[in-house]
């Protein structure tokens, strides 16, 4: 019975951006964070740090720097998951004579840890009656986010989860459709034929049978060619450059 409830939660999830004006009790937040920390982690290293944003002024700043989304400022729960190799790097440097600096692979491993923990928090929040929304825009404006969050070397913001108790309208709002399992699952290797079905996949998922090219063009301009997407690429490059070009161990 419990397993079916877990599947129901996963299948019914949707992003929710409007919340009731009530706080998330500390004990509920603690449950979410405790579950999150039980997430799978490379070598049990927990290569992430969670920043719990409780300052209203900081929420307001983030609502601007994360692509001007006012609902962030109103969210009772705002969690930022950072890839964090600082703790382990310092421990290694204290115990080992020669230690290489964290590099690209270390960044990716820490980022994976952070994302897995974030999704676990989202599921835990759903189980406790909250609604949540990922904010991918935390990947933008790296320099500003590093400054306002006081992030040292080898710590970078990877995922942001906001949430609260959803309004009735949000609970009743229709789920956005997804691609089918058959289209996204390839067996024993990449299937070019399945990948080539993308036009049909979009027509089936989003009902783009009419004016297909127009829909794709509009989506491209709104998402891929947009200013925020260009900024995200610039920001992530700056994030990676800062990570791999950080100074000697004395700097941290």
């Amino acid at each position: 019975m419990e397993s079916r409830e877990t599947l129901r939660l996963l299948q019914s999830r949707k992003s929710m951006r409007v919340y009731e004006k009530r706080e998330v009790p500390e004990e509920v937040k603690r449950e979410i964070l405790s579950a999150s920390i039980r997430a799978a982690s490379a070598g049990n290293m927990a290569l992430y740090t969670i920043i719990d944003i409780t300052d209203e002024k900081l929420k307001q700043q983030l609502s601007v720097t994360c692509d001007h989304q006012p609902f962030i400022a109103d969210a009772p729960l705002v969690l930022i998951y950072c890839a964090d190799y600082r703790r382990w790097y310092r421990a290694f440097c204290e115990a080992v004579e020669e230690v290489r600096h964290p590099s690209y692979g270390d960044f990716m491993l820490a980022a994976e840890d952070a994302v897995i923990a974030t999704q676990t928090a989202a599921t835990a929040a759903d189980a406790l009656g909250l609604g949540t929304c990922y904010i991918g825009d935390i990947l933008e404006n790296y320099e500003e986010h590093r400054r306002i969050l006081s992030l040292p070397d080898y710590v970078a913001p990877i995922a942001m989860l906001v949430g609260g108790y959803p309004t009735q309208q949000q609970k009743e709002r229709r789920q956005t459709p997804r691609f089918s399992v058959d289209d996204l699952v390839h067996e024993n290797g990449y299937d070019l034929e399945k990948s080539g079905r993308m036009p049909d996949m979009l027509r089936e998922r989003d009902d783009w049978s009419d004016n297909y090219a127009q829909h794709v063009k509009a989506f491209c301009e709104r998402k891929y060619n947009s200013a925020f997407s260009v900024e995200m690429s610039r920001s992530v490059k700056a994030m990676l450059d800062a990570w791999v070009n950080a100074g000697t161990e004395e700097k941290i």
Side-chain angles (χ1 to χ4, degrees):
M1 195 69 177
E2 290 180 0
S3 62
R4 301 305 304 180
E5 175 59 16
T6 302
L7 287 171
R8 187 197 66 78
L9 279 171
L10 294 172
Q11 293 282 7
S12 62
R13 190 194 179 278
K14 58 188 174 185
S15 294
M16 298 192 189
R17 298 176 176 83
V18 186
Y19 314 110
E20 295 179 356
K21 293 188 180 301
R22 59 167 165 146
E23 294 300 311
V24 175
E26 281 301 315
E27 60 270 23
V28 172
K29 183 190 292 185
R30 189 79 178 180
E31 280 193 87
I32 293 169
L33 293 170
S34 180
S36 179
I37 289 169
R38 287 300 312 172
S41 169
N44 197 26
M45 294 174 76
L47 296 169
Y48 58 88
T49 288
I50 308 166
I51 301 180
D52 179 14
I53 307 296
T54 58
D55 182 84
E56 297 303 322
K57 183 178 179 182
L58 187 49
K59 286 184 186 181
Q60 184 62 48
Q61 284 181 281
L62 289 164
S63 74
V64 174
T65 59
C66 292
D67 206 32
H68 300 277
Q69 300 185 79
F71 80 94
I72 296 171
D74 298 328
L77 181 71
V78 178
L79 303 174
I80 297 175
Y81 283 71
C82 298
D84 184 354
Y85 229 106
R86 176 182 169 83
R87 290 193 304 266
W88 279 100
Y89 182 58
R90 287 175 61 87
F92 293 154
C93 288
E94 289 169 0
V96 182
E97 187 174 341
E98 291 188 18
V99 181
R100 65 177 178 80
H101 297 302
S103 191
Y104 297 104
D106 308 300
F107 176 91
M108 286 300 297
L109 201 62
E112 286 183 358
D113 264 18
V115 170
I116 294 167
T118 311
Q119 180 54 37
T120 304
T123 302
D126 286 346
L128 292 167
L130 277 71
T132 59
C133 181
Y134 274 93
I135 307 295
D137 306 280
I138 194 64
L139 293 173
E140 298 174 48
N141 298 307
Y142 166 67
E143 297 86 351
E144 180 65 4
H145 289 148
R146 184 176 189 180
R147 183 187 70 80
I148 65 177
L149 298 172
S150 303
L151 303 181
D153 286 344
Y154 306 125
V155 180
I158 297 299
M160 182 173 174
L161 189 71
V162 304
Y165 292 101
T167 62
Q168 192 62 33
Q169 180 273 336
Q170 288 287 291
K171 292 178 184 178
E172 295 174 356
R173 182 174 51 80
R174 183 178 70 92
Q175 274 186 303
T176 52
R178 295 290 196 249
F179 291 126
S180 74
V181 171
D182 289 338
D183 280 325
L184 296 186
V185 178
H186 299 193
E187 187 173 359
N188 297 323
Y190 197 87
D191 189 328
L192 289 172
E193 185 176 346
K194 279 195 175 187
S195 180
R197 284 198 74 251
M198 186 61 173
D200 289 332
M201 289 165 63
L202 287 169
R203 290 186 180 99
E204 292 162 6
R205 188 193 71 174
D206 298 325
D207 195 24
W208 283 1
S209 298
D210 296 328
N211 299 315
Y212 168 78
Q214 184 177 333
H215 284 298
V216 172
K217 181 179 179 180
F219 191 85
C220 181
E221 294 304 313
R222 187 170 78 253
K223 289 287 187 179
Y224 189 72
N225 280 346
S226 64
F228 85 81
S229 183
V230 172
E231 162 55 22
M232 187 176 291
S233 290
R234 184 212 64 80
S235 178
V236 170
K237 182 180 184 303
M239 189 185 300
L240 282 165
D241 288 345
W243 182 284
V244 300
N245 296 323
T248 64
E249 67 182 81
E250 286 77 21
K251 276 191 67 178
I252 68 165

